[in-house]
Amino acid sequence: KSYQVIFLSLLNNKQYATTTMKYYLIAGEASGDLHASRLMQSLKKHDAEAEFRFYGGDKMAAVGGVLVKHYRELAYMGFIPVLVHLPQILRNMQQCKSDIEAWKPDVVILVDYPGFNLDIAKYVHQKGICKVFYYISPKIWAWKEYRIKNIRRDVDELFSILPFEVKWFDDRGYKVHYVGNPCVDAVEQWKNSAEVCEKKKQIAILAGSRKQEIKDNLRMMLQCAATFEGYKLVIAGAPNMDEAYYKKYIPEGVDVD
């Protein structure tokens, strides 16, 4: 299991000889909330006294610990939304840094969300507060490859969910851990649920968990998927998004669940 690999990596560091581990996690969107919550559940199985403090969402809060700030206050995408909310983004970042320094965790675990998290990694590293672990590596092979310099400098351990990333980072002089993709477990769980239609094969539409992503992607994705006859189209909705928002971008004549 990927979460066990992360935990064992923590235990294998002699710095962590305390009886109670303090984990500070940062997830800035719905998918990060899901994956981080499962990581927390797994950590608790091996470390029953684990203390959690985090930026995240409802799923992480359900596991237990202190929710410092909900990802709804963090998830901005695109040049204009980021520019408009820049003062709030900068305040969130400063508050997060101050909170980490005050709480003094044993490790900070960053979950995707690189625009925010890499800045946090830099701060934690410069201050020497604790180790920095990154779960679900930033997709710098797709854009902003220069961020590899920041990762080399500020991230102690990086955990990838895409197998080809291991070689990509290795070719650039940085070792990463491949820990499997948590989405596989989610798909298997859903396939075994009562929601699965037995009569038709299904195509899952994953348009994102932020309004801007859904607005930009959903209509085109559905139009493309609808060209495949004999399939049922299923939108994988984010827990933070109202169903009515998705309906605004469903093309006329396309049948979806």
Side-chain angles (χ1 to χ4, degrees), residues 176-240:
V176 305
H177 305 275
Y178 172 64
V179 293
N181 197 313
C183 293
V184 173
D185 295 333
V187 170
E188 287 300 319
Q189 183 180 7
W190 180 78
K191 283 169 66 177
N192 294 326
S193 71
E195 298 177 47
V196 178
C197 175
E198 300 293 340
K199 296 181 181 179
K200 284 186 177 181
K201 293 183 178 180
Q202 303 190 19
I203 297 177
I205 308 297
L206 288 74
S209 60
R210 291 176 280 192
K211 286 188 174 182
Q212 191 65 40
E213 290 176 319
I214 295 166
K215 179 182 177 182
D216 292 344
N217 299 328
L218 182 57
R219 186 181 301 275
M220 184 180 296
M221 292 173 73
L222 288 170
Q223 288 171 337
C224 293
T227 62
F228 293 89
E229 297 182 1
Y231 286 83
K232 182 179 181 181
L233 306 185
V234 180
I235 297 175
N240 60 309

Side-chain angles (χ1 to χ4, degrees), residues 116-132:
F116 188 95
N117 277 338
L118 285 175
D119 191 76
I120 297 298
K122 179 180 178 181
Y123 181 83
V124 174
H125 174 77
Q126 286 181 338
K127 291 287 186 176
I129 298 170
C130 62
K131 292 290 185 180
V132 176

Side-chain angles (χ1 to χ4, degrees), residues 27-34 56-60 67 70-77 113 207-215 235-246:
E29 50 201 347
S31 58
D33 178 38
L34 171 64
D58 299 337
K59 293 185 181 300
M60 295 171 73
L67 173 60
H70 201 286
Y71 66 75
R72 283 192 294 264
E73 300 180 57
L74 306 174
Y76 302 111
M77 176 188 171
Y113 199 53
S209 60
R210 291 176 280 192
K211 286 188 174 182
Q212 191 65 40
E213 290 176 319
I214 295 166
K215 179 182 177 182
I235 297 175
N240 60 309
M241 202 63 59
D242 190 83
E243 185 177 344
Y245 189 78
Y246 288 96

Side-chain angles (χ1 to χ4, degrees), residues 137-153 155 158 163-176:
S137 58
K139 309 303 183 286
I140 60 173
W141 42 266
W143 73 313
K144 296 189 177 180
E145 183 176 339
Y146 64 85
R147 283 176 166 172
I148 185 68
K149 296 179 182 178
N150 305 67
I151 292 173
R152 284 199 202 101
R153 183 190 64 213
V155 177
L158 189 148
F164 71 86
E165 288 183 337
V166 176
K167 185 178 186 305
W168 191 93
F169 279 99
D170 189 58
D171 288 345
R172 289 155 181 81
Y174 188 80
K175 299 289 184 182
V176 305

